[in-house]
Amino acid sequence: MTKKADKKNASNQTETLEVLNLRDPQYYFNRELSWLEFNYRVLAESLDPRTPLLERLKFSAIFSSNLDEFFMVRIAGLKEQVEAGVSKLTPDGRTPEQQLLDIRNRLYSMVQQQHQHFQQDLRPQMAEAGIHLLDYIDLNQEQRTYLQQYFEEQVFPVLTPLAVDPGHPFPFISNLSLNLAVVVKDPETNKESFARVKVPKVLPRFVPLPENLYQNNSQWMGVPLEQVIAHNLEALFPGMNIQEYHPFRVTRDGDIYLQEQEADDLLAAIEQGLRKRRLGGDVVRLELQSTMPEAIRSTLMKELGLAEKDVYEVEGLLSLVDLMDFLKLPLPELKDPPWYPATPPRLLSSGELENAPTQQDVTQGKDIFGEIRDRGDVLVHHPYNPFTTTVQRFITQAAADPNVLAIKMTLYRTSGDSPIVQALISAAENGKQVAVLVELKARFDEENNINWARQLEKSGVHVVYGLVGLKTHTKVAMVVRQENKQIRRYVHIGTGNYNPKTATLYTDLGLLSCREDLGADLTDLFNYLTGYSRQRSYRKLLVAPVNMRDRFQEAIEREIEHCRQGGVGRIVAKMNALVDAKIISRLYEASQAGVQIDLIVRGICCLRPGLEGISDNIKVISIVGRLLEHSRIFYFHNGGNEEVYIGSADWMPRNLNRRVECVTPVEDPNIKKQLQEILGIMLSDNRQAWELQPDGSYIQRRPESDEEERSSQRILMEMAGQE
């Protein structure tokens, strides 16, 4: 071969290597932009005329609430990176500054669409349904008189107008606050001045009129609180002429940054961080109406330290997160039809079977430990199965059972009136050994968890706060029980928090078992969490950051090998987010080898499916509906010796590297089939499922002309009732 041919061949090999570089940025979607597409799918439920009216308002509110947190955490973090001069590229090849620009370009049109849709579509539909959200100028005199009295009695005492002049510096604008920028003129000097009035959160955002003032067969009638304040500003500035007023809203950096290694007391450090959050960090977003004059807009931007790219102009009302209030209206015909979760028959006593569903709230009943011991593992699927008669009963019975010696569990998020925590306190008072890991770094739940931690400690519960540098996200509980002369360990390993409220809204899975190997693994895991342990191996569990990444990568590589040997390779994985570049590159390798891969990813997906020669054997769907998909299921065909796992971890760097997570294999054949059936139902969804395209867009599935509509969530509701 000639030197020329050698050089040409080497060049071809180089080109081939470049094509096969599976870490090339062109094969990855941006994490933040992918999250925006998820939030747009939430907004699409509000845009969809098939969704009941009040539920459409709810989804618009969720879209806004999601954005608030996105700005408080993600945008704030990117801005900090820009200020610090960080130039490290993301796996998709973007700098922090480029990400901020691209986010703005994509998000601005979404926000415009949301507000226009509310003003032009939803608000008129509300009026047609008898829900009249009026503007103050449309009120008659009798209604105005009532609201003036309401203002004087309920609103005026709460308000604090703040002037801006040489003697009064620009006031601090609190995070997520709705405000009025007011311009007043002194009639004696003709001098104009600026003032700020905060719309108080302690009062209802939408002020209802009394029924005797309703018109046109109304179901509800009222006005926004800021308009009530705006039309009574004379009371706040007596003797001054009100020139104009304009609402605006501010979002601040809401993350808590901790130097854990330097914190002698994590509890005290978190409390200090919470105080800073209440005040708020730097402003990261200004929302205002498009009618605001340039002079006031410029003043706000200057005083808040913002650029044009930080300002979001909208049509109509600000803070649509408050639309959630309308879901409280007693109008069932405008909401999703009610349905009732069903307790798995194995966990119902005979009395409950006779009286279901009226008895499904009780926390006593059938001996849950005897059922698990005598008949094997139990799978619970929330909210299709009630939290109260499954997981809550598991803990409550353990607290009262004289044969139970100890209870250990992790608490990441729980409700403000948690029956789980009350059961743990009761267990400690009953003389049992109770150890609880309370994760103080659960974002936006820190204060709640601090309160519970203190109550638990006062009751004699052993409380620990986790490991330095790691967030404990796993959802596990273990009950140690004396049975004759034997000690038996019962476990719950789940995908969701021990929170009875979110358990009615989030789809989650849990395994109840007394398998000895799982009990031994959880014993080792709790020792790792509460004491000094460098446990590096587990019998069955996949534990992050110890062995989970390696075990998942080995399972993917095993499917690749089956294909290379002429067999079948198959992976189905359901999770909240897929971000980890190492896992994604392994999935690309699997696709190239012929492994058929279906991914059900609710939110962020950085994997680019359908690329010829790279990911053409990978399909990705996202399901967004009435319930928030939160469960994680991982299926590997394994040459016919199928493996199925459930647990708390997504395929994200934070879950695999920086959190304590737990995923368990499911070995009961019937439960394996149940989980595979759940995956199959979701993959066939043509109502709530969206398919990810190679360009990053999502297309919502619609039934073909000869197809029935298949909503996976509705099907699972129906199946739960038929058990």
Side-chain angles (χ1 to χ4, degrees):
M1 187 180 290
T2 65
K3 289 184 178 179
K4 188 175 181 180
D6 281 340
K7 186 178 290 186
K8 183 178 180 181
N9 188 48
S11 176
N12 289 339
Q13 286 180 349
T14 301
E15 289 174 7
T16 302
L17 286 172
E18 288 175 354
V19 169
L20 296 179
N21 175 17
L22 299 180
R23 299 298 291 274
D24 192 307
Q26 67 177 309
Y27 301 142
Y28 294 82
F29 293 129
N30 179 262
R31 180 197 196 283
E32 316 302 346
L33 296 177
S34 181
W35 183 89
L36 289 184
E37 296 307 320
F38 157 67
N39 207 30
Y40 185 77
R41 296 193 292 280
V42 173
L43 179 61
E45 290 295 304
S46 178
L47 304 175
D48 193 333
R50 297 176 296 176
T51 306
L53 178 59
L54 294 184
E55 305 293 341
R56 296 175 75 178
L57 298 178
K58 176 191 76 175
F59 279 109
S60 190
I62 293 172
F63 174 84
S64 292
S65 177
N66 288 347
L67 272 187
D68 286 346
E69 186 170 330
F70 181 72
F71 273 90
M72 290 165 64
V73 177
R74 303 303 305 180
I75 296 294
L78 287 171
K79 281 177 166 287
E80 288 171 4
Q81 290 181 44
V82 171
E83 290 172 8
V86 174
S87 58
K88 182 181 178 182
L89 301 181
T90 55
D92 60 289
R94 285 177 168 86
T95 63
E97 196 163 12
Q98 184 63 48
Q99 290 181 81
L100 286 172
L101 179 62
D102 291 342
I103 288 167
R104 165 76 181 194
N105 291 339
R106 178 67 182 104
L107 179 57
Y108 197 83
S109 61
M110 284 188 196
V111 173
Q112 296 298 311
Q113 183 179 7
Q114 178 205 19
H115 283 263
Q116 289 171 8
H117 176 67
F118 174 70
Q119 286 295 115
Q120 299 170 15
D121 294 300
L122 293 183
R123 205 164 172 180
Q125 289 179 41
M126 291 167 65
E128 289 176 16
I131 306 169
H132 295 278
L133 180 57
L134 303 173
D135 288 315
Y136 202 94
I137 57 173
D138 297 326
L139 300 177
N140 61 36
Q141 188 55 51
E142 194 176 9
Q143 292 167 332
R144 289 184 179 218
T145 300
Y146 168 80
L147 287 175
Q148 184 175 359
Q149 183 178 354
Y150 174 83
F151 172 83
E152 292 171 355
E153 295 177 355
Q154 303 291 330
V155 184
F156 180 73
V158 180
L159 299 178
T160 305
L162 295 175
V164 179
D165 57 34
H168 301 86
F170 192 85
F172 181 86
I173 311 295
S174 55
N175 186 33
L176 301 181
S177 63
L178 183 60
N179 306 270
L180 292 177
V182 184
V183 177
V184 299
K185 178 186 281 189
D186 188 327
E188 295 182 1
T189 64
N190 279 333
K191 180 182 178 182
E192 288 189 348
S193 301
F194 179 89
R196 172 257 190 162
V197 178
K198 181 178 179 179
V199 179
K201 291 184 178 180
V202 294
L203 298 174
R205 168 71 193 287
F206 302 114
V207 182
L209 290 166
E211 290 187 18
N212 64 302
L213 297 181
Y214 283 5
Q215 297 173 327
N216 305 324
N217 299 317
S218 296
Q219 302 287 339
W220 183 92
M221 186 172 281
V223 294
L225 176 60
E226 64 269 26
Q227 293 189 16
V228 176
I229 297 171
H231 284 81
N232 289 277
L233 285 172
E234 292 83 359
L236 290 171
F237 303 97
M240 305 293 283
N241 294 331
I242 308 301
Q243 299 298 102
E244 55 186 324
Y245 54 83
H246 301 278
F248 68 96
R249 186 172 184 261
V250 157
T251 311
R252 291 182 175 273
D253 182 345
D255 209 3
I256 293 178
Y257 177 73
L258 289 176
Q259 291 281 7
E260 284 188 65
Q261 301 285 357
E262 300 174 8
D264 295 328
D265 185 340
L266 185 59
L267 190 67
I270 292 281
E271 288 184 310
Q272 183 179 2
L274 285 173
R275 285 191 289 271
K276 290 180 180 178
R277 177 190 286 165
R278 289 191 194 99
L279 293 173
D282 294 338
V283 178
V284 293
R285 177 179 57 164
L286 171 64
E287 298 171 271
L288 46 82
Q289 289 181 338
S290 54
T291 54
M292 179 180 283
E294 182 59 36
I296 298 178
R297 177 192 178 111
S298 298
T299 297
L300 291 174
M301 290 172 60
K302 177 185 176 183
E303 297 292 347
L304 296 172
L306 298 175
E308 188 62 40
K309 63 179 180 293
D310 304 314
V311 180
Y312 283 77
E313 265 186 20
V314 301
E315 174 187 335
L317 293 177
L318 298 179
S319 192
L320 294 186
V321 66
D322 297 316
L323 293 178
M324 188 68 78
D325 293 349
F326 288 106
L327 208 62
K328 300 172 186 174
L329 292 177
L331 299 171
E333 68 277 10
L334 300 179
K335 304 178 187 179
D336 286 326
W339 69 283
Y340 302 98
T343 302
R346 283 182 56 188
L347 300 184
L348 284 171
S349 66
S350 57
E352 288 178 302
L353 285 169
E354 292 168 6
N355 296 295
T358 58
Q359 293 291 316
Q360 289 192 2
D361 287 337
V362 298
T363 53
Q364 299 304 313
K366 194 168 191 177
D367 174 16
I368 202 166
F369 302 110
E371 181 64 29
I372 297 169
R373 180 186 62 243
D374 298 339
R375 296 183 57 194
D377 295 356
V378 178
L379 181 73
V380 292
H381 194 185
H382 310 301
Y384 309 108
N385 304 138
F387 184 84
T388 51
T389 56
T390 55
V391 178
Q392 187 176 318
R393 174 175 291 176
F394 177 71
I395 301 299
T396 303
Q397 285 193 359
D401 188 338
N403 295 318
V404 168
L405 306 178
I407 302 173
K408 300 182 180 184
M409 70 184 303
T410 59
L411 283 179
Y412 187 71
R413 300 186 199 274
T414 189
S415 60
D417 55 349
S418 174
I420 293 289
V421 174
Q422 297 299 340
L424 294 171
I425 292 172
S426 175
E429 291 171 347
N430 290 338
K432 305 181 191 310
Q433 290 290 315
V434 183
V436 180
L437 187 143
V438 178
E439 180 48 75
L440 297 182
K441 300 186 292 292
R443 185 178 283 135
F444 301 117
D445 269 347
E446 300 96 342
E447 187 168 10
N448 198 37
N449 287 359
I450 286 172
N451 293 335
W452 282 128
R454 287 191 165 137
Q455 285 194 43
L456 288 166
E457 284 179 323
K458 287 178 182 177
S459 303
V461 174
H462 300 293
V463 178
V464 293
Y465 303 130
L467 305 173
V468 172
L470 296 174
K471 185 180 287 188
T472 303
H473 187 251
T474 185
K475 293 76 166 73
V476 292
M478 183 173 69
V479 173
V480 181
R481 196 167 186 266
Q482 179 82 50
E483 296 179 356
N484 297 321
K485 296 183 179 181
Q486 181 182 3
I487 296 290
R488 196 185 302 273
R489 291 170 287 201
Y490 293 83
V491 304
H492 171 265
I493 303 171
T495 69
N497 298 308
Y498 293 105
N499 187 327
K501 292 184 178 177
T502 58
T504 65
L505 303 171
Y506 296 8
T507 70
D508 273 305
L509 292 158
L511 183 72
L512 292 165
S513 177
C514 63
R515 282 166 36 203
E516 181 57 32
D517 46 13
L518 290 183
D521 272 355
L522 276 193
T523 298
D524 289 341
L525 178 59
F526 277 111
N527 289 341
Y528 170 64
L529 292 173
T530 63
Y532 292 108
S533 167
R534 295 195 177 274
Q535 186 75 23
R536 302 303 302 172
S537 63
Y538 291 87
R539 301 155 189 81
K540 293 289 184 179
L541 295 180
L542 281 60
V543 176
V546 180
N547 66 349
M548 186 179 292
R549 176 184 290 282
D550 291 343
R551 292 284 298 277
F552 273 135
Q553 290 185 174
E554 288 166 6
I556 296 169
E557 288 160 5
R558 192 178 56 202
E559 297 301 316
I560 295 172
E561 191 59 30
H562 283 305
C563 282
R564 287 176 177 163
Q565 297 299 323
V568 173
R570 180 83 171 108
I571 298 171
V572 184
K574 178 181 184 295
M575 66 198 81
N576 296 337
L578 173 55
V579 176
D580 190 82
K582 291 180 181 178
I583 292 286
I584 291 173
S585 65
R586 291 289 188 278
L587 293 172
Y588 286 155
E589 290 175 20
S591 174
Q592 291 177 321
V595 179
Q596 298 298 310
I597 303 170
D598 277 295
L599 303 173
I600 306 167
V601 185
R602 182 197 76 208
I604 303 166
C605 181
C606 296
L607 178 147
R608 189 185 289 267
L611 296 176
E612 185 176 354
I614 302 292
S615 58
D616 31 12
N617 289 316
I618 304 178
K619 293 181 180 179
V620 181
I621 67 168
S622 170
I623 293 176
V624 177
R626 175 175 181 172
L627 305 172
L628 181 76
E629 291 295 336
H630 193 254
S631 57
R632 290 93 164 180
I633 312 172
F634 306 95
Y635 166 89
F636 301 94
H637 183 259
N638 191 26
N641 185 22
E642 298 168 312
E643 291 185 353
V644 184
Y645 298 83
I646 64 170
S648 59
D650 296 312
W651 282 348
M652 301 179 73
R654 71 184 188 189
N655 299 98
L656 299 173
N657 301 340
R658 303 190 300 275
R659 289 185 171 186
V660 178
E661 304 276 13
C662 178
V663 167
T664 181
V666 175
E667 299 188 344
D668 182 284
N670 291 326
I671 296 179
K672 274 189 182 181
K673 288 179 182 177
Q674 282 180 262
L675 292 169
Q676 291 178 54
E677 184 177 22
I678 291 169
L679 291 174
I681 290 169
M682 291 183 171
L683 291 175
S684 68
D685 191 309
N686 62 10
R687 171 61 180 86
Q688 260 95 33
W690 297 70
E691 290 190 21
L692 176 57
Q693 306 302 302
D695 65 356
S697 64
Y698 282 80
I699 296 177
Q700 189 171 27
R701 286 181 179 173
R702 301 277 181 167
E704 300 291 340
S705 56
D706 58 343
E707 272 189 315
E708 290 185 5
E709 188 176 86
R710 296 186 300 274
S711 163
S712 56
Q713 294 184 352
R714 188 176 66 245
I715 291 169
L716 290 167
M717 287 176 185
E718 293 168 355
M719 288 174 60
Q722 294 169 4
E723 287 184 354

